[in-house]
Amino acid sequence: DSGVTQTPKHLITATGQRVTLRCSPRSGDLSVYWYQQSLDQGLQFLIQYYNGEERAKGNILERFSAQQFPDLHSELNLSSLELGDSALYFCASSARTDRVTPYEQYFGPGTRLTVT
Amino acid sequence: AQKITQTQPGMFVQEKEAVTLDCTYDTSDPSYGLFWYKQPSSGEMIFLIYQGSYDQQNATEGRYSLNFQKARKSANLVISASQLGDSAMYFCAMREGAGSARQLTFGSGTQLTVLP
């Protein structure tokens, strides 16, 4: 158990819909990352938040958005869903304040999104 | 150009033998970190080992070791005494730049099968 939790585990929805994926980082971790794993694109970085602020953006579509709340949990919002958005979405966290060299990123179990 | 290259889509190894999974990387940043993750069929991403660009010694974690050859830009994972439970997809990843709170770039992965 990495200590990172993600809900829901599975999500099946129709094209054009909007969904929200939720992530709770490990206790004390300030950084949250979202990654998408699909068969054709592999594992891709989407977006990072650090202590509530957006830190970096990767290949994130304009239809997707995210935020990190004061309690450090994060949500990834996917709207106007298309078939190609079907993927495994991972959240990862890192950067504990109480560690000298906080370098690992620990991944949650993922949310498997199926768009039909 | 690919930042992380894993040239072995699939590998087979006999139980109790050692196996090397290849990874080459490309970066012009002098400060970077290299990671290996394991993804079993259940889907979760498990952190295995980390090597920093300034680390003088190769990283080791139990049966895992990282053969870091900086001049050749390679960071191969060596698994000693393979076990059936090692059968999984293995990903090499890189974090570029100083500071730990940065996103990872992943390779395409190597599917390892351990034979009894």
Side-chain angles (χ1 to χ4, degrees), chain B residues 18-59:
Chain B
V19 63
T20 298
L21 307 184
D22 294 343
C23 172
T24 57
Y25 60 92
D26 183 28
T27 181
S28 55
D29 200 315
S31 180
Y32 54 89
L34 297 157
F35 300 74
W36 279 91
Y37 284 85
K38 171 184 177 182
Q39 187 177 37
S41 56
S42 51
E44 73 266 33
M45 294 286 287
I46 302 166
F47 166 74
L48 295 178
I49 197 166
Y50 166 83
Q51 179 86 42
S53 58
Y54 296 117
D55 293 344
Q56 295 296 316
Q57 294 194 319
N58 286 344

Side-chain angles (χ1 to χ4, degrees), chain A residues 56-78:
Chain A
K57 251 182 172 172
N59 296 325
I60 188 165
L61 299 170
E62 283 196 14
R63 300 183 284 110
F64 295 2
S65 65
Q67 53 185 327
Q68 187 179 28
F69 295 87
D71 66 352
L72 300 178
H73 91 270
S74 178
E75 291 180 357
L76 179 68
N77 300 296
L78 316 176

Side-chain angles (χ1 to χ4, degrees), chain A residues 33 35 37 48 90 102 105, chain B residues 37 39 43 100-104:
Chain A
Y33 311 78
Y35 294 89
Q37 185 177 30
Q48 178 200 359
F90 285 108
Q105 280 188 26
Chain B
Y37 284 85
Q39 187 177 37
S100 59
R102 292 175 181 268
Q103 72 269 24
L104 301 180

Side-chain angles (χ1 to χ4, degrees), chain B residues 10-114:
Chain B
M11 287 279 286
F12 292 87
V13 65
Q14 211 67 38
E15 198 179 3
K16 298 187 183 128
E17 299 286 312
V19 63
T20 298
L21 307 184
D22 294 343
C23 172
T24 57
Y25 60 92
D26 183 28
T27 181
S28 55
D29 200 315
S31 180
Y32 54 89
L34 297 157
F35 300 74
W36 279 91
Y37 284 85
K38 171 184 177 182
Q39 187 177 37
S41 56
S42 51
E44 73 266 33
M45 294 286 287
I46 302 166
F47 166 74
L48 295 178
I49 197 166
Y50 166 83
Q51 179 86 42
S53 58
Y54 296 117
D55 293 344
Q56 295 296 316
Q57 294 194 319
N58 286 344
T60 60
E61 289 284 350
R63 294 186 299 109
Y64 304 108
S65 60
L66 203 153
N67 184 1
F68 182 45
Q69 297 189 43
K70 199 168 181 176
R72 297 177 67 178
K73 293 192 173 179
S74 76
N76 299 339
L77 177 71
V78 181
I79 306 175
S80 62
S82 297
Q83 302 171 356
L84 295 177
D86 294 334
S87 292
M89 184 74 100
Y90 288 80
F91 290 96
C92 179
M94 177 171 64
R95 183 203 69 230
E96 293 178 273
S100 59
R102 292 175 181 268
Q103 72 269 24
L104 301 180
T105 301
F106 285 85
S108 55
T110 296
Q111 180 69 49
L112 177 67
T113 303
V114 180

